[in-house]
Amino acid sequence: MVSALITGITGQDGSYLAELLLQKGYTVYGLNRRKATAGMENLTGVIDNSNFRIIEGDLTEESRLFKIVRELELDEIYNMGAQSFVPYSWEVPLFTCDVNALGVIRLLEAIKVYSPKTKFLQASSSEIYGRVSESPQNELTYHYPQSPYGCSKSFAHNITRNYRESFNLFCCNSICFNHESERRGLQFVTRKITRTVAEIHFGSNKKLTLGNLDAKRDWGYAPDYVEAMWLMMQHSIPNDYVVSTGESYSIRQFVEFAFNSVDICIEWSKDKGVDSKGFNADTKEVLVESSPKFYRPVDVDTLNGDYTKISSDLGWKPKTTFRQMIEKMVNYDVDILKKRQKVSNYC
């Protein structure tokens, strides 16, 4: 039986990947910080599986990681663990780099010393490109990150490649562009949008306040992307691959589709930047506005990925459209609030 360790097991990607690997007959170990309970609801579908086990540990703990890699004799390690909230990386840059950059070296060193046959996948990020030099971005596009998070991910990406080339280890980088789902944390802008839209739909909120409405991202659906990661690890040759949809949409368009999912049409004011507002087309009520406090110190304007290489080498393509992804997320949040409303009415 193939065995795998997934760091960041309670996160969006880690939990979806665990489900996928268990379906394929793996023994799955999930790394989770001691006494950490956040995100455990994401593991509802796997926690009782006899082939799944939670392992306590942290990407900042070198001796603990060495012990895990030495004792478990793993076939694959998927590093999904990270300080993954880009705005927060400006507040805790040292912690962000300790986890996202040095954490990767700790894992790679453990593999090199104790288990050189173990395959390793680093969850890279489109944030490594930052101020892009070309569009769309591919595996060879220059890195110009615009945040401590992007810088930490760029280092992790390059050190993974370096260990592959220097020590002949099976190491891959999955350069994942933005990917969302119902399991995305509420602090992320996409989930903030879908949850607030659901609240407005039920009358428990009146307005959605965001930062830069015109930033564009290449958004995909997380379950599609973890399948791409697994395919990379099954290939005979380790390599780096962009995982994306090839299409970019603005935050403004995301908001429009989200409101459309609850039958609300948004009209925009002609103002730009922080003066921009979104109105209910029927009632003319202001439902969306922009605020300076949600702007980043330096923002990335547009990211758009070229997934030609992974499509050609591994046959992977995104299955879920941008609109389908948003509808899944909004419907999920609507269902949550509907259940809470029923409980409140019952009480």
Side-chain angles (χ1 to χ4, degrees):
M1 184 178 288
V2 181
S3 62
L5 172 71
I6 303 173
T7 69
I9 189 65
T10 60
Q12 170 186 260
D13 292 2
S15 61
Y16 280 123
L17 180 60
E19 292 176 0
L20 177 67
L21 297 187
L22 288 168
Q23 290 169 8
K24 293 183 178 298
Y26 279 60
T27 294
V28 176
Y29 300 93
L31 188 71
N32 194 40
R33 295 188 305 277
R34 289 178 180 82
K35 298 182 180 180
T37 58
M40 289 300 291
E41 66 276 4
N42 289 338
L43 300 180
T44 302
V46 303
I47 198 70
D48 294 325
N49 192 305
S50 60
N51 291 326
F52 178 74
R53 180 183 169 193
I54 292 285
I55 301 291
E56 287 190 342
D58 194 293
L59 288 172
T60 63
E61 300 173 339
E62 179 178 329
S63 60
R64 178 61 177 159
L65 294 176
F66 275 39
K67 185 174 188 292
I68 290 170
V69 172
R70 182 177 67 248
E71 294 182 355
L72 292 184
E73 299 181 347
L74 300 156
D75 295 294
E76 300 172 356
I77 295 177
Y78 296 82
N79 185 34
M80 308 287 107
Q83 191 299 97
S84 59
F85 191 43
V86 177
Y88 188 53
S89 75
W90 290 102
E91 299 179 31
V92 289
L94 297 179
F95 174 72
T96 298
C97 291
D98 191 14
V99 174
N100 297 5
L102 297 184
V104 176
I105 295 183
R106 294 180 184 110
L107 283 171
L108 289 169
E109 275 293 301
I111 292 170
K112 185 188 75 171
V113 174
Y114 295 111
S115 189
K117 297 299 183 183
T118 297
K119 296 180 178 181
F120 177 78
L121 181 136
Q122 165 62 15
S124 191
S125 167
S126 58
E127 290 288 327
I128 64 178
Y129 298 125
R131 187 184 298 173
V132 296
S133 57
E134 62 180 345
S135 191
Q137 295 85 54
N138 59 46
E139 291 80 6
L140 299 179
T141 298
Y142 181 73
H143 294 192
Y144 200 141
Q146 296 284 281
S147 67
Y149 171 83
C151 290
S152 69
K153 281 291 189 175
S154 179
F155 178 92
H157 176 100
N158 282 296
I159 202 67
T160 297
R161 175 189 50 77
N162 186 261
Y163 269 65
R164 177 176 71 225
E165 296 173 353
S166 300
F167 305 112
N168 198 32
L169 300 178
F170 192 108
C171 298
C172 303
N173 281 297
S174 60
I175 312 169
C176 292
F177 281 64
N178 292 65
H179 49 291
E180 314 299 326
S181 75
E182 304 90 317
R183 296 180 188 176
R184 178 56 92 185
L186 289 170
Q187 74 271 31
F188 290 86
V189 65
T190 52
R191 189 73 192 288
K192 176 183 178 180
I193 291 170
T194 61
R195 174 56 65 89
T196 307
V197 165
E199 291 172 347
I200 290 173
H201 174 66
F202 281 103
S204 58
N205 204 333
K206 293 184 177 180
K207 192 179 297 181
L208 171 63
T209 306
L210 300 168
N212 183 7
L213 294 168
D214 296 310
K216 290 186 176 181
R217 295 292 184 269
D218 184 328
W219 273 296
Y221 191 49
D224 295 349
Y225 283 36
V226 299
E227 182 180 8
M229 297 177 199
W230 177 77
L231 286 171
M232 291 168 59
M233 294 283 262
Q234 312 318 305
H235 197 42
S236 58
I237 302 173
N239 215 322
D240 305 327
Y241 291 98
V242 163
V243 185
S244 67
T245 69
E247 299 178 351
S248 292
Y249 295 89
S250 67
I251 298 288
R252 193 184 299 271
Q253 289 171 299
F254 196 110
V255 169
E256 290 174 3
F257 285 154
F259 274 106
N260 285 343
S261 296
V262 292
D263 297 323
I264 296 175
C265 181
I266 294 293
E267 290 182 349
W268 298 98
S269 65
K270 295 180 180 180
D271 301 315
K272 299 294 183 181
V274 296
D275 295 320
S276 184
K277 291 181 174 59
F279 302 86
N280 184 321
D282 294 325
T283 67
K284 306 306 177 184
E285 179 185 8
V286 177
L287 298 181
V288 188
E289 64 182 10
S290 182
S291 169
K293 71 177 182 179
F294 293 117
Y295 274 69
R296 297 178 184 177
V298 180
D299 206 353
V300 177
D301 293 327
T302 302
L303 292 173
N304 186 21
D306 178 359
Y307 67 91
T308 300
K309 182 178 176 182
I310 192 171
S311 178
S312 176
D313 288 3
L314 308 182
W316 181 88
K317 292 183 179 180
K319 300 174 182 176
T320 310
T321 68
F322 179 64
R323 188 155 200 159
Q324 288 170 339
M325 176 192 72
I326 294 174
E327 288 177 349
K328 287 175 183 288
M329 295 174 68
V330 172
N331 290 340
Y332 177 78
D333 281 320
V334 165
D335 287 343
I336 287 178
L337 296 181
K338 188 181 296 183
K339 289 175 183 177
R340 289 180 181 175
Q341 194 174 66
K342 286 182 178 179
V343 171
S344 178
N345 291 339
Y346 178 77
C347 293

